[in-house]
Amino acid sequence: MNAVDGSAHVFQENFAEELEEELPSLLVLVLDASPLSWGSQSPPISLREAVASLLVFANSHLSLNHSNEIAVLAAHPSTVRFLYPLPPSAVEESGSSSNLVRDDSVDPVIAAEDADESNIPTGTSMYKQFRVVNEAVMDQLEDLISKTTEKDITSKDGGEGVSDTSMISGALSMALAYINRQTGGDVPTTEESSAIKARILLVSVCSDLAAQYVPIMNCIFAAQKMKVPIDICKIGDDTVFLQQASDTTGGIYINLDHPKGLMQYLMTAFLPDRLLRKHLILPTQSSVDFRAACFCHKRIVDIGYVCNICLSIFCEPPVDGSCSICDTIFDPRELADLIKQPVLIPLSGNGQKKKAKKNKTKRNGDYDSTPAPATPSA
């Protein structure tokens, strides 16, 4: 048989080592489910088309290795929900069969075979594990969108109108917590030391995340410590903090020029796991914006004022002389130095005339000559 399949030409010892190094990969998909943001992206791409491409991408990830795992989260303006796997509370509320739940201790294919077949479409040739994931994601996402009310998408900052932001920071926090539970809480010292290779892929359409600056930065530092890369697939305008998240954690950031080709971007740039990426030429960012957002007005600033205790950033010195985050009272003399404006001393009339006369003298070449040294006497 070795002569037939050509494996006799492979050095068996190295081949066995490569098989042992093929560890399972955990992919956590975070979908930005902001209704207003997806509505503004039309007609380039709709939410339904994006979800269809993401499901094909998820199935491709599962097909690379039988031990690969996947989780899907939806970041809504008012909540964050697991689309797959379903939490036990969601299963109890829905009363559905266990074919939509992936238990960590049971093979999903066996669980689907033992479950009630009445809820699984028959007459299809789709692999059952793919079908379980697809049905769970579609059902949960449809339930989330259908139950969205005007109150859920109302701006939370006291302004009028609907909010075009999602709880990206909460979704990243839940993704990192899920990865920590699946990996046993062990922090790998290197990328090759962990038992399971985990990564996060965020599909974002929101453009304003300044209000979530602090929690997003906390998630970035936690992912960096856990050796979990955060890949960003950005639809629409660039976001400063997501660029920083991708660059800091060693992930990939792509702002789609043609959102209709979302599936091609996913299959070519984001499908290889982090161990295979070192053998590939990956897309890189031409420039990364490392500006921060102030804690007082949530605006991105070029020059700010930093509290020396909690490192909070402000766009202007505090009026009351204290930090609004940690209540540290600043030195009044230092605040006075920061607030005061430069003083310009106007020139008097005589001074201006003398200055003009001096400049005129220099232009005419009438400079004071240096006296010649005296001749020494005999």
Side-chain angles (χ1 to χ4, degrees):
M1 236 2 235
N2 292 338
V4 175
D5 60 11
S7 59
H9 301 284
V10 181
F11 189 55
Q12 296 298 323
E13 183 178 354
N14 293 340
F15 185 69
E17 292 178 358
E18 293 180 359
L19 290 179
E20 292 178 358
E21 292 178 357
E22 189 177 358
L23 299 175
S25 176
L26 171 60
L27 173 63
V28 181
L29 289 175
V30 179
L31 174 62
D32 187 353
S34 174
L36 182 61
S37 298
W38 281 108
S40 62
Q41 298 301 325
S42 181
I45 190 172
S46 63
L47 177 59
R48 182 176 295 275
E49 294 173 341
V51 172
S53 299
L54 283 175
L55 291 178
V56 174
F57 171 72
N59 295 340
S60 301
H61 169 76
L62 294 175
S63 63
L64 293 179
N65 190 340
H66 179 70
S67 301
N68 283 359
E69 300 179 8
I70 194 167
V72 185
L73 290 87
H76 195 259
S78 61
T79 184
V80 178
R81 177 183 293 191
F82 262 98
L83 304 182
Y84 180 85
L86 298 183
S89 58
V91 179
E92 294 176 0
E93 292 177 1
S94 61
S96 60
S97 60
S98 59
N99 62 331
L100 297 182
V101 185
R102 179 172 181 176
D103 190 359
D104 298 335
S105 60
V106 181
D107 191 341
V109 180
I110 301 177
E113 292 176 351
D114 297 339
D116 184 9
E117 295 288 337
S118 60
N119 292 333
I120 300 179
T122 58
T124 63
S125 58
M126 180 181 291
Y127 182 50
K128 286 188 177 181
Q129 185 177 358
F130 298 165
R131 190 165 57 194
V132 168
V133 176
N134 294 356
E135 290 181 353
V137 171
M138 293 300 297
D139 293 344
Q140 292 298 313
L141 185 60
E142 183 179 357
D143 180 72
L144 177 63
I145 298 300
S146 62
K147 293 182 178 179
T148 301
T149 61
E150 184 178 356
K151 182 180 179 180
D152 296 333
I153 59 178
T154 303
S155 179
K156 304 297 188 300
D157 56 359
E160 298 181 356
V162 295
S163 174
D164 59 346
T165 61
S166 299
M167 298 182 64
I168 300 297
S169 59
L172 292 177
S173 300
M174 294 182 64
L176 291 173
Y178 181 80
I179 292 173
N180 184 71
R181 185 180 65 181
Q182 295 299 105
T183 56
D186 296 332
V187 179
T189 56
T190 61
E191 293 185 355
E192 289 79 9
S193 61
S194 59
I196 184 172
K197 310 304 177 185
R199 56 193 174 103
I200 299 175
L201 172 60
L202 170 62
V203 180
S204 173
V205 292
C206 294
S207 57
D208 184 15
L209 296 175
Q212 306 179 45
Y213 172 72
V214 176
I216 286 180
M217 293 306 297
N218 291 337
C219 293
I220 293 175
F221 296 142
Q224 184 183 26
K225 183 177 181 181
M226 297 171 60
K227 305 294 188 299
V228 176
I230 300 178
D231 300 331
I232 307 296
C233 182
K234 190 68 181 68
I235 301 176
D237 299 333
D238 281 326
T239 305
V240 173
F241 309 131
L242 297 184
Q243 291 182 15
Q244 299 176 12
S246 175
D247 180 76
T248 304
T249 59
I252 300 173
Y253 181 93
I254 296 181
N255 189 356
L256 305 189
D257 297 329
H258 305 283
K260 281 289 187 180
L262 175 61
M263 184 180 298
Q264 285 78 4
Y265 286 102
L266 295 174
M267 301 298 289
T268 55
F270 298 106
L271 185 59
D273 58 14
R274 65 184 190 181
L275 292 183
L276 294 177
R277 291 179 180 182
K278 60 184 178 181
H279 304 291
L280 304 175
I281 300 178
L282 301 174
T284 57
Q285 304 181 58
S286 57
S287 61
V288 182
D289 193 346
F290 290 102
R291 290 183 298 171
C294 66
F295 288 29
C296 48
H297 302 93
K298 311 301 181 184
R299 295 181 300 196
I300 299 177
V301 294
D302 296 319
I303 300 176
Y305 304 88
V306 182
C307 174
N308 58 350
I309 303 299
C310 64
L311 303 181
S312 301
I313 303 171
F314 303 96
C315 58
E316 56 188 17
V319 180
D320 57 353
S322 63
C323 177
S324 59
I325 305 300
C326 63
D327 296 331
T328 300
I329 300 177
F330 301 128
D331 189 351
R333 293 173 296 181
E334 294 182 359
L335 286 178
D337 293 339
L338 294 175
I339 296 174
K340 69 178 182 181
Q341 300 295 330
V343 179
L344 300 178
I345 303 176
L347 296 175
S348 60
N350 295 333
Q352 293 178 356
K353 292 180 180 179
K354 292 181 180 180
K355 184 177 180 180
K357 184 178 179 180
K358 185 177 181 180
N359 293 337
K360 183 177 180 181
T361 303
K362 289 185 177 181
R363 286 195 299 269
N364 294 336
D366 189 9
Y367 296 95
D368 296 335
S369 59
T370 303
T375 304
S377 58

